[in-house]
Amino acid sequence: MTDAFRETVAAVRERATPTDQERERLAAATDRLVARVESATADLPVGTDVVRVGSTARGTWLSGDQDIDLFVRFPPDLPREELESLGLEVGHAVLPDGRAEYAEHPYVTGEFEGYDVDLVPCYRVDSATEARSAVDRTPFHTAYVEEAITPELAADVRVLKRFLTACGIYGSDLRTEGFSGYLTELLILELDGFEPLIEAVADWHPPVELDPAEHGSRAFDDPLVVIDPTDPERNVAAVLSSTNLARFQHHARALLAEPAIERFEPAEPDPLDGATLESHLERRGTTPLALRVPAPDLVDDQLYPQLGKSRLSLAGELDRRGFPVIRSAAFANDHAVLLIELANDELPAIERHAGPPVAVGEHASAFYEKYEAGDAYGPFVDGGRYIVEREREYTTARDCLEGELFSVALGPAVENALEDGYDLLAGDGLAALLPEFEVELARYYDPSP
Amino acid sequence: MTDAFRETVAAVRERATPTDQERERLAAATDRLVARVESATADLPVGTDVVRVGSTARGTWLSGDQDIDLFVRFPPDLPREELESLGLEVGHAVLPDGRAEYAEHPYVTGEFEGYDVDLVPCYRVDSATEARSAVDRTPFHTAYVEEAITPELAADVRVLKRFLTACGIYGSDLRTEGFSGYLTELLILELDGFEPLIEAVADWHPPVELDPAEHGSRAFDDPLVVIDPTDPERNVAAVLSSTNLARFQHHARALLAEPAIERFEPAEPDPLDGATLESHLERRGTTPLALRVPAPDLVDDQLYPQLGKSRLSLAGELDRRGFPVIRSAAFANDHAVLLIELANDELPAIERHAGPPVAVGEHASAFYEKYEAGDAYGPFVDGGRYIVEREREYTTARDCLEGELFSVALGPAVENALEDGYDLLAGDGLAALLPEFEVELARYYDPSP
């Protein structure tokens, strides 16, 4: 390993490591918060305990982070509804200004002494495999990492988190489809540090499977599989997309080739202005079409998968109908936008349409009879199949998109929004996406790994 | 089987069967011709004999046909050069006004008492498997069919030949890629008549294999395999294309569904006139491009495969470069023409270009470095691969065709002709193909099975 690499990593580690003062302040605040939770739960009709989880509990948080996550554990025989109502009750008692959030199940989020606090009720199950919901597993993850990690490796976890953040792939939410904090910790533990991890990643040939506890009990279809040491049936990297794994590989190689502290700092592009947009439109000469609706009122973990599904369905339909897709993207802000950029805007009046092989009897005869009566060219035979050249249903990309909009599989909230009305922006009309999507479009027109 | 079918077949048989007078005249003329050959060969330094081959010898010729084929057989130890020179010498002696033709090997063709005569020298080998060239096999085919055929089946061979001719698939030359006379005979013999053959063909699921002598000794990759009863290693249907087999199936079904004597009569389309061409061009809205050269001076069996190869290579290249092909065709007359009809005439300035998977190490890095330095959009990552949007080499179909003309695999004579200069006709310019290709274009714009 080069000196430059090690010097770079050392400098990043320096910056990412919380100061002693930060640690002490956090520890004191957490102690006070735990005391408040314990007092709020003392009079409950059921027995509870409080567990510190998340990166602050594991010692792997980044300097500057201000998060405290506390889980309140309830007996496993408590009915779910009661868990939820008692959980919210405790949360509001501890954080009077907090608000309820509804992820997989409800919790309270708020502020305490300047820290962002999540107070999450969960079940006190005996092992992660008995988890009733994802949050029940979290205490086990924390316990595993706390037990296994050293201060040296914790520092390398911080370096890796900075690196993944700079690459835009840190986060296991369904918008990012990247690496969770726990996955980051497991990778550092399993590969024994940042440097050996980066060297390994540069040479990975996905699918890659890691099984720290050597207890994996089923097969996964994901590009990266990291068997959860607390649950042999779970892939901790299930959310990671193949694109983001490839991006990790790309950036790992780039870091090895040219180590630089900038590689650990997120680069926000300059927002795109109208003139630059126009020059890209002209230079590319393509047919971009954008559907714009008011953003559906959904959390990101629901919105982005729906946008992604809708985008791929529409792009696939256009492609099948003879309009090849150059690229597509989905953005969300106040509006949600599906952008599909096509090679052509027009196609001729006829299309070649292949029927069944002549040999398949009734099927083939039905095809022949259907078209023989009409005014298509043919049927004739090519390569053993009936072929017709029939009138094309849509000769412009715009008609095709609008005509097939509701015939493809859209996300339900996206479908509802489109049904309520949409703007279809084409060509220069994309300027209407500025300034709302000036950053997203800047990235679109200056794409990088 | 319906009465209508049987009545139709009976009527065709009636028309196709030579009259007694025709037979007698042919037999007498053949006898005289054989006598002439025997006297011409009497003084040769090597022993020869004369064999009557072809459909007239087998009794399967169509009424009105005027062909006599005689083979002069030489000893198998005669050097090839001597066989050829003696063969031509005999041919010219028997047919003083005949001319030499050079197929697989030379022979003489000419007229005798109003008949078209081929006089072909070959080797007198002991069995078809010892044939040194295709012609050596022919006497064995004739002997096999003569032995096996009955007058009733011979009449059905004639019916089948009429039918295949009407379908445009009779002939094993490389322009037609259809059924040889011998194949026709074997099918009638194997299926025991025209009616059972047509019923079987309607239900065939290619690949279909027939082995009349039950001695096939190797596998074939062809859609129809008929093992030669005189040679276990040969597929008599090797030349038949899958398209033409499918057309046979189509027409067999049509004949069963609606028997009619017209189905045994070739339909020549009305020649296409300029106004009709223009209306098709307008109605289709496609981008037809035609390359026209003076026809290379080749026999059809060489010219058409070269045109076919050139056509497919160019169509494939245009398709790969983003110009999808609706249909393509090749015609030959005084000129040879490659016609390629495309969906688009223009594409945008950029194209999406997928590189290797990021995981493939050096390969991927080389791709990244190549494009990172240039002014393409990207590289970025999608689905695990590097992607760039680079400047497209050709933005018009015409430029693409002309730019890649000599980069693809063309038939050598076609390539030479193109190198000497060509016309590129586009859109309305196709009118320049009239009237030379008025029949071919009429078929192109009214395609049928």
Side-chain angles (χ1 to χ4, degrees):
Chain A
M1 188 50 59
T2 62
D3 287 350
F5 183 92
R6 292 193 173 148
E7 284 160 19
T8 302
V9 170
V12 174
R13 188 178 294 150
E14 174 81 26
R15 293 183 192 192
T17 302
T19 62
D20 288 349
Q21 196 189 358
E22 271 185 278
R23 288 172 197 273
E24 284 157 21
R25 224 191 116 240
L26 174 73
T30 307
D31 287 345
R32 283 189 288 276
L33 186 65
V34 168
R36 272 174 78 157
V37 176
E38 283 171 344
S39 102
T41 55
D43 296 334
L44 288 183
V46 295
T48 62
D49 64 355
V50 187
V51 194
R52 305 167 193 212
V53 301
S55 62
T56 44
R58 298 166 191 167
T60 59
W61 86 103
L62 297 180
S63 172
D65 271 8
Q66 299 285 339
D67 297 319
I68 303 177
D69 297 335
L70 292 185
F71 277 35
V72 182
R73 296 198 299 182
F74 290 85
D77 56 359
L78 190 69
R80 180 148 201 122
E81 277 178 27
E82 280 187 59
L83 174 115
E84 294 185 1
S85 67
L86 290 174
L88 292 178
E89 189 184 315
V90 171
H92 287 304
V94 173
L95 302 167
D97 299 327
R99 66 176 199 285
E101 287 276 357
Y102 300 85
E104 196 184 348
H105 76 183
Y107 65 98
V108 173
T109 184
E111 222 189 58
F112 178 78
E113 297 185 4
Y115 292 93
D116 297 323
V117 175
D118 286 350
L119 261 181
V120 182
C122 71
Y123 284 111
R124 188 174 54 244
V125 291
D126 286 337
S127 77
T129 53
E130 287 166 36
R132 299 215 204 147
S133 72
V135 293
D136 298 344
R137 273 190 215 105
T138 308
F140 295 94
H141 296 168
T142 298
Y144 178 85
V145 174
E146 265 187 307
E147 166 74 26
I149 204 138
T150 64
E152 183 67 17
L153 292 177
D156 273 11
V157 168
R158 288 186 205 102
V159 172
L160 178 57
K161 285 180 178 177
R162 295 272 299 230
F163 186 63
L164 295 172
T165 303
C167 300
I169 56 178
Y170 183 56
S172 60
D173 58 279
L174 299 182
R175 175 180 184 177
T176 309
E177 297 185 331
F179 295 75
S180 67
Y182 182 44
L183 176 56
T184 307
E185 291 156 353
L186 291 180
L187 289 174
I188 290 291
L189 286 172
E190 180 67 7
L191 276 295
D192 203 28
F194 181 75
E195 181 180 312
L197 173 66
I198 293 297
E199 284 188 303
V201 167
D203 288 333
W204 273 356
H205 288 89
V208 170
E209 180 158 337
L210 303 175
D211 187 0
E214 293 179 11
H215 67 170
S217 57
R218 48 161 290 211
F220 293 90
D221 202 19
D222 304 310
L224 175 62
V225 177
V226 179
I227 304 292
D228 190 341
T230 75
D231 185 346
E233 305 242 319
R234 186 171 167 266
N235 173 19
V236 180
V239 162
L240 178 69
S241 68
S242 59
T243 294
N244 281 340
L245 177 56
R247 293 171 73 200
F248 187 24
Q249 292 202 267
H250 168 83
H251 288 288
R253 285 190 205 130
L255 180 64
L256 290 169
E258 293 179 52
I261 203 143
E262 292 73 28
R263 297 195 184 276
F264 293 83
E265 291 162 3
E268 186 85 335
D270 290 337
L272 194 79
D273 60 34
T276 311
L277 172 61
E278 207 172 300
S279 79
H280 282 299
L281 293 173
E282 183 151 331
R283 179 178 155 203
R284 292 165 76 84
T286 53
T287 301
L289 297 176
L291 288 164
R292 181 175 64 177
V293 292
D297 184 21
L298 291 177
V299 297
D300 282 3
D301 262 5
Q302 294 181 328
L303 177 59
Y304 282 91
Q306 287 201 27
L307 289 174
K309 178 184 178 180
S310 307
R311 170 178 71 86
L312 290 177
S313 293
L314 289 170
E317 186 67 18
L318 284 158
D319 191 76
R320 265 190 302 285
R321 286 177 178 269
F323 297 99
V325 176
I326 300 278
R327 190 149 37 119
S328 64
F331 313 137
N333 212 318
D334 291 341
H335 293 92
V337 170
L338 300 172
L339 171 61
I340 303 179
E341 188 178 6
L342 303 162
N344 318 320
D345 62 345
E346 271 195 87
L347 284 173
I350 60 153
E351 64 179 356
R352 182 183 174 95
H353 174 60
V358 174
V360 301
E362 282 183 34
H363 216 59
S365 298
F367 181 91
Y368 181 80
E369 279 156 29
K370 173 179 170 186
Y371 284 102
E372 191 202 11
D375 59 358
Y377 288 88
F380 57 97
V381 180
D382 190 10
R385 284 179 180 274
Y386 283 125
I387 307 285
V388 290
E389 289 155 3
R390 64 182 182 186
E391 202 180 328
R392 188 184 289 277
E393 191 169 357
Y394 303 106
T395 60
T396 73
R398 193 184 175 117
D399 286 351
C400 184
L401 178 61
E402 296 205 89
E404 295 302 315
L405 193 48
F406 298 108
S407 78
V408 305
L410 302 168
V414 174
E415 182 161 3
N416 286 340
L418 286 165
E419 279 168 351
D420 289 344
Y422 57 83
D423 298 318
L424 177 56
L425 312 171
D428 292 349
L430 259 62
L433 298 177
L434 300 178
E436 185 180 355
F437 296 103
E438 60 189 4
V439 172
E440 288 82 355
L441 285 171
R443 262 194 218 103
Y444 185 86
Y445 287 114
D446 187 13
S448 63
Chain B
M1 189 48 62
T2 62
D3 288 350
F5 183 93
R6 292 192 173 149
E7 283 159 19
T8 302
V9 170
V12 173
R13 189 177 294 149
E14 173 81 26
R15 293 183 191 191
T17 302
T19 60
D20 288 348
Q21 195 191 0
E22 271 186 276
R23 288 173 197 273
E24 285 158 20
R25 223 191 116 239
L26 174 72
T30 307
D31 287 346
R32 282 189 290 275
L33 186 64
V34 169
R36 273 174 77 157
V37 176
E38 283 171 345
S39 102
T41 53
D43 295 334
L44 289 182
V46 295
T48 62
D49 64 356
V50 186
V51 194
R52 303 165 194 215
V53 300
S55 61
T56 43
R58 299 166 192 166
T60 60
W61 87 102
L62 298 179
S63 172
D65 271 9
Q66 300 282 340
D67 296 319
I68 303 176
D69 296 335
L70 293 185
F71 276 36
V72 182
R73 296 199 299 183
F74 290 83
D77 56 357
L78 189 69
R80 182 151 198 118
E81 276 177 29
E82 278 186 58
L83 174 113
E84 294 183 1
S85 66
L86 291 175
L88 291 179
E89 188 184 316
V90 171
H92 286 303
V94 173
L95 301 167
D97 299 328
R99 65 176 199 286
E101 287 274 359
Y102 300 84
E104 196 185 346
H105 75 185
Y107 65 99
V108 173
T109 183
E111 223 189 59
F112 178 78
E113 297 184 6
Y115 292 94
D116 296 323
V117 175
D118 285 350
L119 260 182
V120 182
C122 72
Y123 284 111
R124 187 174 54 245
V125 291
D126 286 335
S127 78
T129 54
E130 287 166 36
R132 298 213 204 151
S133 72
V135 292
D136 299 343
R137 275 191 214 103
T138 307
F140 295 93
H141 297 166
T142 297
Y144 178 84
V145 174
E146 265 188 308
E147 165 74 25
I149 204 137
T150 64
E152 182 66 16
L153 291 178
D156 273 11
V157 168
R158 287 185 205 102
V159 172
L160 179 57
K161 285 180 178 177
R162 294 271 298 230
F163 187 63
L164 295 172
T165 302
C167 300
I169 55 178
Y170 183 57
S172 61
D173 59 279
L174 299 182
R175 175 180 185 178
T176 309
E177 296 186 334
F179 294 76
S180 68
Y182 182 46
L183 176 56
T184 306
E185 291 156 352
L186 292 179
L187 289 173
I188 290 291
L189 286 172
E190 180 67 6
L191 277 294
D192 203 27
F194 181 75
E195 182 179 313
L197 172 67
I198 293 297
E199 285 188 302
V201 166
D203 288 333
W204 273 357
H205 288 88
V208 170
E209 181 158 337
L210 303 175
D211 186 0
E214 294 178 11
H215 67 170
S217 57
R218 50 162 289 212
F220 294 89
D221 201 20
D222 304 310
L224 175 63
V225 178
V226 180
I227 304 292
D228 191 339
T230 74
D231 184 347
E233 305 242 319
R234 186 170 167 266
N235 174 19
V236 181
V239 162
L240 179 69
S241 68
S242 59
T243 294
N244 282 340
L245 177 57
R247 294 170 73 199
F248 187 26
Q249 292 201 267
H250 168 84
H251 288 288
R253 286 190 204 130
L255 180 65
L256 290 169
E258 294 180 53
I261 204 146
E262 292 72 30
R263 297 193 184 278
F264 293 83
E265 291 161 3
E268 186 84 335
D270 290 338
L272 193 80
D273 60 34
T276 311
L277 172 62
E278 208 172 299
S279 78
H280 283 299
L281 293 173
E282 183 151 331
R283 179 177 157 205
R284 293 165 76 84
T286 53
T287 300
L289 297 176
L291 288 166
R292 181 175 63 178
V293 292
D297 184 21
L298 291 177
V299 296
D300 282 3
D301 264 4
Q302 294 182 327
L303 177 59
Y304 281 90
Q306 287 201 26
L307 288 174
K309 176 183 179 182
S310 306
R311 170 178 72 86
L312 291 177
S313 293
L314 288 170
E317 186 67 19
L318 284 158
D319 192 76
R320 264 191 302 286
R321 287 178 177 267
F323 296 98
V325 177
I326 300 278
R327 191 148 38 117
S328 64
F331 313 136
N333 211 319
D334 291 340
H335 294 91
V337 170
L338 301 172
L339 171 62
I340 304 179
E341 188 179 6
L342 303 161
N344 318 320
D345 61 346
E346 269 195 88
L347 284 173
I350 60 153
E351 65 180 355
R352 183 184 173 95
H353 174 60
V358 174
V360 301
E362 280 182 36
H363 217 58
S365 299
F367 180 90
Y368 181 79
E369 279 156 28
K370 173 180 171 186
Y371 284 103
E372 191 203 11
D375 60 358
Y377 288 88
F380 57 98
V381 180
D382 190 9
R385 285 180 180 273
Y386 283 125
I387 308 285
V388 290
E389 290 155 3
R390 64 181 182 187
E391 200 179 330
R392 189 184 288 278
E393 192 169 357
Y394 304 106
T395 60
T396 72
R398 193 185 174 115
D399 285 352
C400 183
L401 178 61
E402 295 204 89
E404 295 302 316
L405 193 48
F406 297 108
S407 78
V408 305
L410 302 168
V414 174
E415 182 162 2
N416 286 341
L418 286 166
E419 278 168 351
D420 289 346
Y422 58 82
D423 298 319
L424 177 56
L425 312 170
D428 292 350
L430 260 61
L433 297 177
L434 300 178
E436 185 180 355
F437 296 103
E438 61 189 1
V439 172
E440 288 82 354
L441 285 172
R443 262 194 218 103
Y444 185 86
Y445 286 114
D446 187 12
S448 63

